Amino acid sequence: MKRATKNAAFLLIGEVVTRLLGFLVSALLARRLGIDGFGQVGFAFSVMSYGVIVTKFGLLTVGIREAARDRTRIPHLVSNVLSLRLLLSLAATAAIVCFALLVRKDQGVRLLLILFSTGVVAQTFMLEWLFTGIERTEFVALGHVLTNALYFVLVALLVRGPHQILLVPLALAAATIVAALVLAARYAAEFGMPRPGFDRDAWKQLAMTSWPVGVASVLTQIYVNFGIIALALLRTDKEAGLFTAAQRLVFFLLMLDRVFQAVFLPMVSRYYKSAPDRLPGLVGTAVRVIIVLTLPLCIGLSLLARPAVIVVFGNNYLEAAVPVVVLVWFLPLSLLTTLAGYTLLASGQERRFCLNTGVGVALALALSVAGIVVWGVTAAAVALVIGEACMLILMGRDFLRLCRPQLDRRMFVPLLGGLGVAAVLVLLRNWNWMVAAAASAVIYLAVLLLGRGIGREDLGLAEQ
């Protein structure tokens, strides 16, 4: 099996299981905590996510790229990335604690924020980025699955109602620590025990290289989670809970983005360095695969949002269906933005990547603040999608200056299949939506196979 195909297979399996477990945790918490409690957890988790992205600050993206380029320096690279992340995690945790003490929320929410900050430190020791760089994605999948499996078990056993909400962040931190120890043991078997390093020259080089990516990552995380936080602060916990439910339902599908990121960045970095003439073929195939995978999901969830929300979260969350219809289009935009942005990173254009991200995030935040006060949940969804579209336009402009993807008439096959999906769902969804979904999937696959819209060779994106 080709290396990229094998890596994609491990990541896809791992992400499917991981996202499914995370999905089950969200559904469980939504039902056991109620809308307000679920909104409080979504709020605190989003704040924690800001802290986690600060600890990464582009270091993991640069680490993946450098590990892919030169494996002989991996122990030195890991030791210095670990030490820098540890310092950043302590600063981020302190900032979250200060925010918790100052925010105008009740005492229980403040304590929830403080407990979630423990997850920031725990995430520091996860080495999945290193295994991504050396293209051993079976261990990336193992780390993600183990974390989420333990988290699900602990939540299912310990969190029975709103009065046990404070056990949620403790369960997440404990699960993360166990997974980090497992990955560290695997790393030690091949490279020796990971130890924090204090090489000033290495720190300086990492900081100089990673800061544009880090700023872009922080900005991206800010706007992805801003809707939940703004709704919790400017509106109500209930609206934050509804948006959290909509986002969890759609972001379950972002497993595709995670798989694509982990496979594409090491590959495009190698191609740019050793085989630049093959880049157009690689990115052309990637564009086609993105459209093939995301188009039926977007059409299907747009038309079946109401029954999907009811099945997963219950009738109380029916109002989340409208933002789901909007948010689902974030998926293809995100994947295409990743493709363009990571090609820029592979070519060393970190600052251009950062600038493009900053403009898109600024637009999304402005729309969020203006819209959420008046329109609430739906405005948060619209702002997120518009911001991602803006980022794609900017990244795509610079990407096309660097590389023109090779596209062919097979691009039209998934579009034709998408029309079939829409027709079947419109005709059958009011009769039996599950039958309609199954029938539309069969129609789409038939069109792909007959039209040769995707082949087995595309699963690895390109020949190795």
Side-chain angles (χ1 to χ4, degrees), residues 133-182:
I134 63 175
E135 298 180 80
R136 298 291 302 278
T137 56
E138 63 268 32
F139 298 112
V140 179
L142 174 63
H144 291 167
V145 170
L146 184 57
T147 301
N148 283 273
L150 290 173
Y151 181 39
F152 172 72
V153 170
L154 290 173
V155 166
L157 292 176
L158 301 176
V159 182
R160 297 289 181 175
H163 58 288
Q164 293 166 321
I165 192 173
L166 296 180
L167 295 176
V168 176
L170 298 179
L172 179 60
T176 304
I177 290 170
V178 172
L181 290 173
V182 171

Coordinates of all heavy atoms in Angstrom, one line a residue, residues 133-182:
G133 N 4.6 14.1 11.4 CA 5.8 14.5 10.6 C 6.5 13.3 10.0 O 7.0 13.4 8.9
I134 N 6.7 12.2 10.8 CA 7.4 11.1 10.3 C 6.5 10.1 9.6 O 6.9 9.0 9.2 CB 8.2 10.4 11.4 CG1 7.3 9.8 12.5 CG2 9.2 11.3 12.0 CD1 8.0 9.0 13.5
E135 N 5.2 10.5 9.4 CA 4.2 9.8 8.6 C 4.0 8.4 9.2 O 3.9 7.4 8.5 CB 4.6 9.7 7.2 CG 4.7 11.1 6.5 CD 5.0 11.1 5.1 OE1 4.2 10.8 4.2 OE2 6.2 11.4 4.8
R136 N 3.9 8.3 10.6 CA 3.5 7.1 11.3 C 2.1 7.4 11.9 O 2.0 7.5 13.1 CB 4.5 6.8 12.3 CG 5.9 6.4 11.8 CD 5.9 5.1 11.0 NE 5.5 4.0 11.9 CZ 6.3 3.4 12.7 NH1 7.6 3.7 12.8 NH2 5.8 2.4 13.5
T137 N 1.2 7.6 11.1 CA -0.1 8.1 11.5 C -0.9 7.0 12.3 O -1.9 7.4 12.9 CB -1.0 8.5 10.3 OG1 -1.1 7.5 9.4 CG2 -0.3 9.7 9.7
E138 N -0.5 5.8 12.4 CA -1.2 4.8 13.2 C -1.1 5.2 14.7 O -2.1 5.0 15.5 CB -0.6 3.4 13.0 CG 0.8 3.2 13.4 CD 1.8 3.4 12.3 OE1 1.5 4.3 11.4 OE2 2.8 2.8 12.2
F139 N 0.0 5.9 15.1 CA 0.1 6.3 16.5 C -0.6 7.6 16.7 O -1.1 7.9 17.8 CB 1.6 6.5 16.8 CG 2.4 5.2 16.7 CD1 3.3 5.0 15.7 CD2 2.1 4.2 17.6 CE1 4.0 3.8 15.6 CE2 2.8 2.9 17.5 CZ 3.7 2.8 16.5
V140 N -0.8 8.5 15.7 CA -1.6 9.7 15.8 C -3.1 9.2 16.0 O -3.7 9.7 16.9 CB -1.6 10.5 14.5 CG1 -2.5 11.7 14.6 CG2 -0.1 10.9 14.2
A141 N -3.5 8.2 15.3 CA -4.9 7.7 15.4 C -5.0 7.1 16.8 O -6.0 7.3 17.5 CB -5.2 6.7 14.4
L142 N -4.0 6.3 17.3 CA -4.1 5.7 18.6 C -4.2 6.7 19.7 O -5.1 6.6 20.6 CB -2.8 4.9 18.8 CG -2.6 4.3 20.2 CD1 -3.7 3.3 20.5 CD2 -1.3 3.6 20.4
G143 N -3.5 7.8 19.6 CA -3.5 8.9 20.6 C -4.9 9.5 20.7 O -5.5 9.7 21.8
H144 N -5.5 9.8 19.5 CA -6.8 10.5 19.5 C -7.9 9.6 20.0 O -8.7 10.0 20.7 CB -7.1 10.9 18.1 CG -6.2 12.1 17.6 ND1 -6.1 12.4 16.3 CD2 -5.4 12.9 18.3 CE1 -5.3 13.5 16.2 NE2 -4.8 13.7 17.4
V145 N -7.8 8.3 19.5 CA -8.9 7.4 19.9 C -8.8 7.1 21.4 O -9.9 7.0 22.1 CB -8.8 6.0 19.1 CG1 -9.7 5.0 19.7 CG2 -9.1 6.3 17.6
L146 N -7.6 6.9 21.9 CA -7.5 6.6 23.3 C -8.0 7.7 24.2 O -8.7 7.5 25.2 CB -6.0 6.3 23.7 CG -5.7 5.8 25.1 CD1 -6.5 4.6 25.5 CD2 -4.2 5.6 25.2
T147 N -7.6 9.0 23.8 CA -8.1 10.1 24.6 C -9.6 10.2 24.6 O -10.2 10.3 25.7 CB -7.6 11.4 24.0 OG1 -6.1 11.4 23.9 CG2 -8.0 12.6 24.8
N148 N -10.2 10.1 23.5 CA -11.7 10.2 23.4 C -12.4 9.0 24.0 O -13.5 9.2 24.5 CB -12.1 10.5 22.0 CG -11.8 11.9 21.6 OD1 -12.6 12.8 21.8 ND2 -10.6 12.1 21.0
A149 N -11.9 7.8 23.9 CA -12.5 6.7 24.5 C -12.5 6.8 26.0 O -13.5 6.5 26.6 CB -11.8 5.4 24.0
L150 N -11.4 7.2 26.6 CA -11.3 7.3 28.0 C -12.2 8.4 28.5 O -12.9 8.3 29.5 CB -9.9 7.6 28.5 CG -8.9 6.4 28.3 CD1 -7.5 6.8 28.7 CD2 -9.3 5.3 29.3
Y151 N -12.2 9.5 27.7 CA -13.1 10.7 28.1 C -14.6 10.3 28.1 O -15.3 10.6 29.0 CB -12.8 11.8 27.1 CG -13.6 13.1 27.3 CD1 -13.8 13.6 28.6 CD2 -14.1 13.8 26.2 CE1 -14.5 14.8 28.7 CE2 -14.8 15.0 26.4 CZ -15.0 15.4 27.7 OH -15.7 16.6 27.8
F152 N -15.0 9.5 27.1 CA -16.4 9.0 27.0 C -16.7 8.1 28.1 O -17.8 8.3 28.8 CB -16.6 8.3 25.6 CG -17.9 7.6 25.5 CD1 -19.1 8.4 25.4 CD2 -18.0 6.3 25.6 CE1 -20.3 7.8 25.3 CE2 -19.3 5.6 25.6 CZ -20.4 6.4 25.4
V153 N -15.8 7.2 28.5 CA -16.1 6.3 29.6 C -16.2 7.0 30.9 O -17.2 6.8 31.7 CB -15.0 5.2 29.6 CG1 -15.1 4.4 30.9 CG2 -15.1 4.3 28.4
L154 N -15.3 7.9 31.1 CA -15.3 8.7 32.4 C -16.6 9.6 32.5 O -17.2 9.6 33.6 CB -14.1 9.6 32.5 CG -12.8 8.8 32.7 CD1 -11.6 9.7 32.7 CD2 -12.8 8.1 34.1
V155 N -17.0 10.2 31.4 CA -18.2 11.1 31.4 C -19.4 10.2 31.6 O -20.3 10.5 32.4 CB -18.3 11.9 30.1 CG1 -19.7 12.5 30.0 CG2 -17.2 13.0 30.1
A156 N -19.5 9.1 30.9 CA -20.6 8.2 31.0 C -20.8 7.7 32.5 O -21.9 7.5 33.0 CB -20.5 7.0 30.1
L157 N -19.7 7.4 33.1 CA -19.7 6.8 34.5 C -19.9 7.9 35.6 O -20.6 7.6 36.6 CB -18.4 6.1 34.8 CG -18.2 4.8 34.0 CD1 -16.9 4.2 34.3 CD2 -19.3 3.8 34.2
L158 N -19.4 9.1 35.4 CA -19.3 10.1 36.4 C -20.3 11.2 36.3 O -20.8 11.7 37.4 CB -17.9 10.7 36.5 CG -16.7 9.7 36.7 CD1 -15.4 10.4 36.7 CD2 -16.9 9.0 38.1
V159 N -20.7 11.6 35.1 CA -21.5 12.8 35.0 C -23.0 12.3 34.7 O -23.3 11.9 33.6 CB -21.0 13.7 33.8 CG1 -21.9 14.9 33.7 CG2 -19.6 14.0 34.0
R160 N -23.8 12.4 35.8 CA -25.1 11.9 35.7 C -26.2 13.0 35.6 O -27.3 12.8 35.2 CB -25.5 11.0 36.9 CG -24.6 9.8 37.0 CD -25.0 8.8 36.0 NE -24.2 7.6 36.1 CZ -24.4 6.5 35.3 NH1 -25.4 6.5 34.4 NH2 -23.6 5.4 35.4
G161 N -25.8 14.2 35.9 CA -26.7 15.4 35.9 C -26.0 16.7 36.0 O -24.7 16.7 36.2
P162 N -26.7 17.8 36.0 CA -26.0 19.1 36.1 C -25.2 19.3 37.3 O -24.2 20.1 37.3 CB -27.2 20.1 36.1 CG -28.3 19.3 35.4 CD -28.1 17.9 35.8
H163 N -25.5 18.7 38.4 CA -24.8 18.9 39.7 C -23.4 18.2 39.6 O -22.6 18.5 40.5 CB -25.6 18.3 40.8 CG -25.8 16.8 40.7 ND1 -26.8 16.3 39.8 CD2 -25.3 15.7 41.3 CE1 -26.8 15.0 39.9 NE2 -26.0 14.6 40.8
Q164 N -23.1 17.5 38.6 CA -21.8 16.9 38.4 C -21.0 17.4 37.2 O -20.1 16.8 36.7 CB -21.9 15.3 38.2 CG -22.4 14.7 39.5 CD -22.9 13.2 39.2 OE1 -23.5 13.0 38.2 NE2 -22.7 12.3 40.2
I165 N -21.4 18.7 36.8 CA -20.8 19.3 35.7 C -19.3 19.5 35.8 O -18.5 19.5 34.9 CB -21.5 20.6 35.4 CG1 -21.1 21.2 34.0 CG2 -21.2 21.7 36.4 CD1 -21.9 22.4 33.6
L166 N -18.8 19.7 37.1 CA -17.4 20.0 37.3 C -16.5 18.8 37.1 O -15.3 18.9 37.0 CB -17.2 20.5 38.8 CG -17.9 21.9 39.1 CD1 -17.6 22.2 40.5 CD2 -17.4 23.0 38.2
L167 N -17.1 17.6 37.0 CA -16.3 16.4 36.7 C -15.9 16.3 35.2 O -15.0 15.6 34.8 CB -17.0 15.2 37.1 CG -17.3 15.0 38.6 CD1 -18.1 13.8 38.8 CD2 -16.0 14.9 39.4
V168 N -16.6 17.1 34.3 CA -16.3 17.0 32.9 C -14.9 17.4 32.6 O -14.2 16.7 31.9 CB -17.3 17.9 32.1 CG1 -17.0 17.9 30.6 CG2 -18.7 17.4 32.3
P169 N -14.4 18.6 33.0 CA -13.0 19.0 32.7 C -12.0 18.0 33.3 O -10.9 17.8 32.7 CB -12.8 20.4 33.2 CG -13.9 20.5 34.2 CD -15.0 19.7 33.8
L170 N -12.2 17.5 34.5 CA -11.3 16.6 35.1 C -11.2 15.3 34.3 O -10.1 14.7 34.2 CB -11.7 16.3 36.5 CG -11.8 17.5 37.5 CD1 -12.2 17.1 38.9 CD2 -10.4 18.2 37.5
A171 N -12.3 14.8 33.8 CA -12.3 13.6 33.0 C -11.5 13.8 31.7 O -10.7 13.0 31.3 CB -13.8 13.2 32.6
L172 N -11.7 15.0 31.1 CA -10.9 15.3 29.9 C -9.4 15.4 30.1 O -8.6 14.8 29.4 CB -11.4 16.6 29.3 CG -10.7 17.1 28.0 CD1 -10.8 16.1 26.9 CD2 -11.2 18.5 27.6
A173 N -9.0 16.0 31.2 CA -7.6 16.1 31.5 C -7.0 14.7 31.8 O -5.9 14.4 31.4 CB -7.4 17.0 32.8
A174 N -7.7 13.9 32.6 CA -7.2 12.6 32.9 C -7.0 11.7 31.7 O -6.0 11.0 31.5 CB -8.2 11.9 33.9
A175 N -8.0 11.8 30.7 CA -7.9 11.0 29.5 C -6.7 11.5 28.6 O -6.0 10.7 28.0 CB -9.2 11.2 28.7
T176 N -6.5 12.8 28.6 CA -5.4 13.3 27.8 C -4.0 12.9 28.3 O -3.1 12.5 27.6 CB -5.5 14.9 27.8 OG1 -6.7 15.3 27.3 CG2 -4.4 15.5 26.9
I177 N -3.9 12.9 29.7 CA -2.6 12.5 30.3 C -2.3 11.0 30.0 O -1.2 10.7 29.7 CB -2.7 12.8 31.8 CG1 -2.7 14.3 32.1 CG2 -1.5 12.1 32.5 CD1 -3.0 14.6 33.5
V178 N -3.3 10.2 30.1 CA -3.1 8.8 29.8 C -2.6 8.6 28.3 O -1.6 7.8 28.1 CB -4.3 7.9 30.1 CG1 -4.2 6.5 29.6 CG2 -4.6 7.9 31.6
A179 N -3.3 9.2 27.4 CA -2.9 9.1 26.0 C -1.5 9.7 25.7 O -0.7 9.1 25.0 CB -3.9 9.8 25.1
A180 N -1.2 10.8 26.4 CA 0.2 11.4 26.2 C 1.2 10.4 26.7 O 2.3 10.3 26.1 CB 0.2 12.7 27.0
L181 N 1.0 9.7 27.8 CA 2.0 8.7 28.3 C 2.2 7.6 27.4 O 3.3 7.1 27.2 CB 1.5 8.2 29.7 CG 1.6 9.2 30.8 CD1 0.9 8.7 32.1 CD2 3.0 9.6 31.1
V182 N 1.1 7.1 26.7 CA 1.2 6.0 25.8 C 2.0 6.4 24.6 O 2.9 5.7 24.1 CB -0.2 5.6 25.3 CG1 -0.1 4.6 24.1 CG2 -1.0 4.9 26.5

